[in-house]
Amino acid sequence: MRRFTYYEPESLKEAIALLEKNGETARLLAGGTDLIVEIKQEKKSPDHLVSLRRIPGLQEMDFSDGELCIGAMVTHRMIEKAELIRDKYSLLADAVDNLGSVQVRNVATIGGNICNAAPSADTAAPLVALGARLVVEGPAGERQIPIDEFFKGPGKTDLGAGEILRCIRIPALPQGAGSCYIKHARRKAMDLPLLGIAVIIVPDANMVCREARIALSLAGPKPFRAEQAEAFVTGKPLSEEVWKQAGEIAVGESNPRSSFRTTAAYRRKMIGTLIPRAAAVSLQRVNRAWMKG
Amino acid sequence: MAVKISFKLNGEDVSINVDDHVTLMDMLREEFDLFGAKEGCGYGECGSCTVLVDDKAVNSCLMLAVAVNGRSVLTIEGLAGPRGELDPLQKSFVEKGAVQCGFCTPGMIMSAKALLLEKPCPTEEEIRKGMAGNLCRCTGYAKIVEAIKAASERGCSCGKDS
């Protein structure tokens, strides 16, 4: 593998200084499951690798005042094992469940997943649906970026020079919400999605849709909310037929591309098929939560 | 640039100077003559380089050696007891014929070890999910799953000593 200099700064300040000093020749190293592969494949060739593993606080998850804060260096495995996430943010648990292998999930981080901005990132659509905000620190101090403004396109984010993602803040979901993420892939394990479908449903007591959120990945150049489909469902009874129509509306809002993995036509067809399916699972979860009391 | 790192390797404290860009797998093989972890794909797909770091399964081909500074690494060579008695998982891999060419076996056993450390009595589904990152091109997996099940049924992989 190409030679580089490795650093383990012990504070964000120190890490930011290293990035500023080395500019384009430096890369941040989180879990490394993407970056090390890319260095081996000579797709990336940094001279300086700045590891975030010794910076305190980045590996913590905190739930207070209804808001969940996930540190950038929290691994997918930690999220997978967190009861609270499985209970309250099922769609995020779904997203990490089948990402890579145990070996990958043990080291790959949510911050790395987001900051690489691969169109196939499994946590992207759930975080967009959840309305996450990214807390970023840089030379000019801290700022927060809504996730839908963070992604700028494949491999591109809003992060400026010297900026580092510190944590991901996820606002509380309304009471009685049910959610689901479907990773549509060829294999059950060790595969990248062909499509990612995230749905959150908030029904009222009469099973009329009070709020719906639909976020899609690989259905366009970056993850997005299918706002017309969401507006269509809101205020309607949560029936299969309504969701079928919502799926078709979302197809119209999508602009998937053909890639070596699959065709645009297939992706469009599956968006219409999978949105009702994700809605059905979300609804089952609402019901299960109610029965649990 | 070479960096001095210290860590626990198969229960023993070790220190070594290692270059920044060397992977954990290359260090284990080239500096410590531990040839159990093998490079299959080199990209974290096949699992034949699996070792445990702080009791968690990782792909040693994707981890930098410098990143294990201060941590604990367990490889297949560290599984057997002091008099060479095999770990229950190793025994049941032998008994069930879960080995054919053997290239994937060290990685398989280390993944299974991590699984049983965390969950001493996994269901078959949990075994299959836990082993999803380890590819075997010979066995068809059935005997591997059987061997892990047998080891867990003996209830012997719960502790590190058996």
Side-chain angles (χ1 to χ4, degrees), chain A residues 8-288:
Chain A
E8 281 186 354
E10 298 196 7
S11 69
L12 272 176
K13 219 175 135 191
E14 212 183 307
I16 292 165
L18 281 165
L19 291 183
E20 280 196 289
K21 185 177 159 213
N22 297 299
E24 295 279 292
T25 63
R27 295 280 311 189
L28 286 177
L29 177 68
T33 52
D34 284 324
L35 183 55
I36 300 292
V37 171
E38 287 165 335
I39 295 174
K40 285 187 175 189
Q41 291 174 334
E42 296 176 2
K43 285 182 186 160
K44 289 202 176 121
S45 44
D47 295 321
H48 306 271
L49 275 196
V50 181
S51 165
L52 298 174
R53 83 177 189 103
R54 283 202 193 274
I55 299 175
L58 295 189
Q59 295 174 33
E60 281 163 27
M61 256 191 288
D62 179 55
F63 186 69
S64 54
D65 299 330
E67 190 187 67
L68 175 66
C69 190
I70 306 180
M73 286 291 280
V74 166
T75 64
H76 290 83
R77 190 78 171 150
M78 286 164 74
I79 295 172
E80 182 187 351
K81 300 247 155 215
E83 287 277 322
L84 182 128
I85 291 179
R86 202 158 286 275
D87 272 8
K88 289 197 192 303
Y89 304 95
S90 322
L91 76 174
L92 195 53
D94 293 338
V96 294
D97 228 23
N98 293 308
L99 184 148
S101 58
V102 174
Q103 292 97 313
V104 167
R105 295 198 292 279
N106 274 334
V107 288
T109 66
I110 189 163
N113 199 234
I114 292 307
C115 292
N116 269 338
S120 57
D122 271 309
T123 59
L127 289 175
V128 168
L130 287 164
R133 279 171 305 134
L134 307 182
V135 183
V136 165
E137 251 172 76
E142 185 186 296
R143 67 180 179 121
Q144 295 203 11
I145 313 168
I147 189 149
D148 40 358
E149 293 170 22
F150 183 76
F151 295 116
K152 295 291 179 200
K156 294 198 178 71
T157 70
D158 193 40
L159 282 178
E163 281 192 319
I164 300 176
L165 174 66
R166 183 156 63 82
C167 70
I168 301 167
R169 301 176 87 118
I170 302 174
L173 280 179
Q175 202 71 33
S179 68
C180 168
Y181 170 75
I182 293 180
K183 169 184 191 155
H184 185 54
R186 274 196 211 86
R187 302 181 78 236
K188 280 189 203 154
M190 298 299 293
D191 203 357
L192 296 174
L194 303 171
L195 265 181
I197 312 271
V199 167
I200 301 174
I201 300 179
V202 189
D204 69 11
N206 302 314
M207 283 316 208
V208 170
C209 180
R210 196 146 57 84
E211 188 188 339
R213 300 187 208 164
I214 304 166
L216 308 175
S217 56
L218 294 157
K222 52 185 196 170
F224 66 95
R225 296 264 296 265
E227 287 170 6
Q228 292 168 29
E230 292 176 354
F232 172 80
V233 188
T234 308
K236 293 203 172 59
L238 288 164
S239 70
E240 223 181 293
E241 192 43 47
V242 166
W243 276 100
K244 254 190 202 156
Q245 291 178 40
E248 288 317 310
I249 295 170
V251 172
E253 293 180 77
S254 303
N255 182 23
R257 64 175 196 133
S258 288
S259 67
F260 72 95
R261 277 181 215 288
T262 190
T263 61
Y266 177 73
R267 285 193 166 111
R268 262 195 294 275
K269 178 122 186 103
M270 290 315 290
I271 291 165
T273 306
L274 293 174
I275 287 178
R277 222 177 269 176
V281 175
S282 303
L283 213 51
Q284 276 169 19
R285 287 175 174 167
V286 171
N287 293 335
R288 204 177 309 146

Side-chain angles (χ1 to χ4, degrees), chain B residues 107-125:
Chain B
M108 283 284 174
I109 292 182
M110 295 317 286
S111 272
K113 185 72 186 173
L115 174 71
L116 295 188
L117 280 173
E118 192 178 288
K119 202 164 221 144
C121 306
T123 62
E124 175 161 344
E125 204 191 322

Side-chain angles (χ1 to χ4, degrees), chain A residues 1-6 8 29 36-37 40-41 53-54 77 81 97-98 101-104 106-107 189-190, chain B residues 19-21 42-45 50 56-57 59 61-63 66-67 69 71 111 118 129-130 132-134:
Chain A
M1 194 167 28
R2 176 195 171 82
R3 282 177 181 269
F4 46 74
T5 311
Y6 173 83
E8 281 186 354
L29 177 68
I36 300 292
V37 171
K40 285 187 175 189
Q41 291 174 334
R53 83 177 189 103
R54 283 202 193 274
R77 190 78 171 150
K81 300 247 155 215
D97 228 23
N98 293 308
S101 58
V102 174
Q103 292 97 313
V104 167
N106 274 334
V107 288
M190 298 299 293
Chain B
D19 279 339
D20 291 14
H21 67 286
Y43 299 136
E45 306 269 355
T50 304
K56 291 193 177 74
N59 293 311
C61 76
L62 292 187
M63 185 169 274
V66 283
N69 193 13
R71 300 163 91 175
S111 272
E118 192 178 288
K129 202 174 165 205
N134 291 79

Side-chain angles (χ1 to χ4, degrees), chain A residues 1 3-8 53, chain B residues 1-7 9 14-32 60 63-70 73:
Chain A
M1 194 167 28
R3 282 177 181 269
F4 46 74
T5 311
Y6 173 83
Y7 307 85
E8 281 186 354
R53 83 177 189 103
Chain B
M1 196 174 72
V3 190
K4 187 180 177 196
I5 60 167
S6 305
F7 62 104
L9 178 56
V14 295
S15 286
I16 189 168
N17 288 315
V18 66
D19 279 339
D20 291 14
H21 67 286
V22 170
T23 63
L24 173 57
M25 185 195 72
D26 285 339
M27 175 179 72
L28 291 171
R29 294 177 61 90
E30 286 160 24
E31 306 296 334
F32 293 97
S60 63
M63 185 169 274
L64 294 179
V66 283
V68 301
N69 193 13
V73 178

